[in-house]
Amino acid sequence: MSWFESFVLGLVQGLTEFLPISSSAHLRLTAAFAGWHDPGAAFTAISQIGTEAAVLIYFRKDIARILSAWFRSLTNKEMRSDHDAQMGWLVIVGSIPIGVLGVTLKDQIEGPFRDLRLIATTLIVMGIVLGIADRLAARDEAGGKHRAVKERKTLKDLGVRDGLIYGFCQAMALVPGVSRSGATISGGLLMGYTRESAARYSFLLAIPAVLASGVYELKDVGEGHVSWGPTIFATLVAFFVGYAVIAWFMKFITTKSFMPFVIYRVALGILIFILVSTGVLSPHAGESAG
């Protein structure tokens, strides 16, 4: 991997990690369109450490408060009813599905799941799911002539059941094209949470999973065409770009719809199917070389 490739892929990672359009799919597609080797699951997981570092800094006050309350709740029974302490446990509970499935499906994640036809399918299907969830949220918020405005849930309403559902939604993102934020935000909206609450928990829930995955994949750096230098460089690029994107996205979702992302996902999925079916692009482009 050249330094230019690592810069472009780091930029793509930072731009797409927090948007509901799948960063892993875009890393895979960028390499395929450019004629580069598939960067692989290890590069993807490690570069995501950069964007998760951006989450740690952006949500540093929330994270510090949650960690403080959670640790105190271990010895202080009265603290166990505190919302921040409960959030600590809910992040742990929600991280279980992706932890178990990530290890179980490791071979599929690094192989069959990277087929461009599967990526196109998940882009379209999950795009439609996000669109439906967004429309339901908008209907609740706007009400209607014969329908009152429906109050949606916040993170104070989050319990173990919903935390696990969020967790299984996040685990779906092991398939490139699903999108970690897209799946968890869609799940949250369908369960009746506000856009801001769904996004906030989605980003907090991703921290343990992404950091653990990145650390686990460190052993594979240096194998094949991916080396340490470009990987670290891409991770740094992803961090700076990702921080700017997350700040913008959290403001965007308070007033805007997810429909632009839905249209983009569906259009991109259709484009991939057309390119693959006409032979312009191989469904396994770059895999043999990577």
Side-chain angles (χ1 to χ4, degrees):
M1 177 181 291
S2 69
W3 291 97
F4 177 70
E5 287 179 46
S6 67
F7 171 76
V8 172
L9 294 173
L11 184 64
V12 170
Q13 169 62 29
L15 287 172
T16 59
E17 172 66 19
F18 303 117
L19 305 181
I21 56 177
S22 179
S23 62
S24 57
H26 279 75
L27 289 175
R28 174 78 178 89
L29 291 170
T30 299
F33 285 138
W36 299 337
H37 299 327
D38 180 359
F43 176 89
T44 300
I46 294 169
S47 65
Q48 286 177 335
I49 293 177
T51 44
E52 286 313 302
V55 172
L56 291 174
I57 293 176
Y58 186 85
F59 290 111
R60 61 189 179 279
K61 293 181 179 178
D62 295 42
I63 294 170
R65 194 177 63 248
I66 290 170
L67 286 175
S68 174
W70 183 79
F71 277 114
R72 282 184 288 157
S73 72
L74 295 177
T75 56
N76 186 342
K77 291 184 179 181
E78 294 181 359
M79 284 296 301
R80 293 172 189 173
S81 61
D82 181 84
H83 172 67
D84 289 324
Q86 292 174 348
M87 276 297 296
W89 286 111
L90 290 170
V91 168
I92 293 173
V93 168
S95 300
I96 293 173
I98 197 170
V100 174
L101 293 175
V103 174
T104 305
L105 301 175
K106 186 178 187 300
D107 291 339
Q108 286 74 23
I109 294 168
E110 295 176 348
F113 285 0
R114 303 185 74 77
D115 187 305
L116 295 182
R117 292 164 296 189
L118 176 59
I119 291 175
T121 301
T122 53
L123 281 169
I124 294 171
V125 172
M126 291 307 298
I128 294 172
V129 172
L130 177 62
I132 293 172
D134 186 64
R135 291 295 297 172
L136 291 175
R139 187 180 67 176
D140 287 348
E141 293 166 357
K145 186 175 181 180
H146 303 291
R147 185 176 62 251
V149 173
K150 183 178 179 181
E151 185 176 351
R152 295 182 71 83
K153 295 187 285 187
T154 68
L155 291 185
K156 291 185 177 180
D157 301 305
L158 186 65
V160 173
R161 183 188 71 91
D162 286 0
L164 278 173
I165 293 175
Y166 266 112
F168 279 107
C169 290
Q170 178 180 237
M172 293 171 60
L174 292 169
V175 181
V178 170
S179 170
R180 186 190 310 276
S181 64
T184 49
I185 289 173
S186 295
L189 293 178
L190 290 172
M191 288 189 288
Y193 287 87
T194 64
R195 290 186 177 90
E196 194 273 340
S197 295
R200 184 172 291 268
Y201 184 62
S202 170
F203 295 151
L204 292 174
L205 185 61
I207 294 173
V210 171
L211 293 181
S213 175
V215 170
Y216 178 77
E217 296 288 358
L218 287 175
K219 65 182 186 338
D220 292 332
V221 177
E223 297 182 1
H225 69 286
V226 179
S227 57
W228 273 106
T231 301
I232 293 173
F233 180 53
T235 303
L236 289 173
V237 172
F239 164 72
F240 288 109
V241 176
Y243 187 86
V245 171
I246 193 173
W248 170 81
F249 186 65
M250 291 304 293
K251 293 179 181 178
F252 175 87
I253 60 174
T254 59
T255 58
K256 305 294 184 180
S257 165
F258 287 115
M259 289 310 295
F261 302 112
V262 173
I263 295 170
Y264 173 78
R265 289 181 63 108
V266 174
L268 180 59
I270 292 173
L271 175 62
I272 295 170
F273 271 127
I274 292 173
L275 294 177
V276 171
S277 63
T278 56
V280 175
L281 201 61
S282 166
H284 307 288
E287 286 186 1
S288 59

